[in-house]
Amino acid sequence: MATDRYQRGLDRMMELVSTEHSNTFDHAKLVESYQALDSELGDYIVSFAFGDIYSRDSLTQQEQTMVTISTLAALGTEVQLKLHINVGFNVGLTKEKIVGALIQCIPYIGFPRVLNGLTLVKDVMAERGRTSEAGTD
């Protein structure tokens, strides 16, 4: 059963990913697919980040996304991190801002997890048809 927090998060997620790049992958179906793995996983993904962090107005959307990206990099949750990197681009973050946020995490979470995050940034950029060459992002 969907809670108010979950529904608020799902609504906010669809608002943030509903752009010209929403065809990268179907976010709602991705969340639904996790229900088969663990009945609470989809709720956790949507309620925590989108229902809590993204629903707070004390930070800008870009700040909310950078906090979420840093947190998920620390947790090592790559699928969620990929989704939020997509959101980052949707709310106007640049590759440099996302990479900068990840690099700041190295002393706290270690280089391997940050490297995984940087690889996901490249993957998302490739899916969006963007290159990592200077001046093209």
Side-chain angles (χ1 to χ4, degrees), residues 17-30:
V17 298
S18 295
T19 69
E20 62 183 291
H21 301 292
S22 63
N23 62 356
T24 308
F25 55 90
D26 188 329
H27 298 83
K29 284 186 181 177
L30 175 68

Side-chain angles (χ1 to χ4, degrees), residues 110-127:
F111 186 72
R113 286 200 173 166
V114 170
L115 186 58
N116 288 341
L118 295 173
T119 300
L120 289 176
V121 171
K122 287 183 181 180
D123 291 348
V124 169
M125 290 178 64
E127 289 172 359

Side-chain angles (χ1 to χ4, degrees), residues 61-128:
Q61 285 184 347
Q62 290 185 1
E63 291 168 334
Q64 293 165 349
T65 306
M66 285 194 296
V67 166
T68 305
I69 287 171
S70 299
T71 302
L72 293 173
L75 294 173
T77 53
E78 291 186 10
V79 174
Q80 292 177 57
L81 182 56
K82 184 176 181 181
L83 187 148
H84 290 281
I85 290 169
N86 265 301
V87 169
F89 286 121
N90 290 351
V91 299
L93 287 177
T94 62
K95 177 190 80 168
E96 290 77 14
K97 286 184 180 181
I98 295 171
V99 168
L102 289 169
I103 289 173
Q104 293 298 317
C105 294
I106 291 172
Y108 309 103
I109 66 173
F111 186 72
R113 286 200 173 166
V114 170
L115 186 58
N116 288 341
L118 295 173
T119 300
L120 289 176
V121 171
K122 287 183 181 180
D123 291 348
V124 169
M125 290 178 64
E127 289 172 359
R128 289 172 164 260

Side-chain angles (χ1 to χ4, degrees), residues 2 7 19 28 33 39 41-42 56 60-61 78 83 89 92 99 109 131 133-134:
Q7 189 58 51
T19 69
S33 72
S39 61
L41 187 57
R56 297 180 188 271
T60 67
Q61 285 184 347
E78 291 186 10
L83 187 148
F89 286 121
V99 168
I109 66 173
T131 66
E133 297 173 16

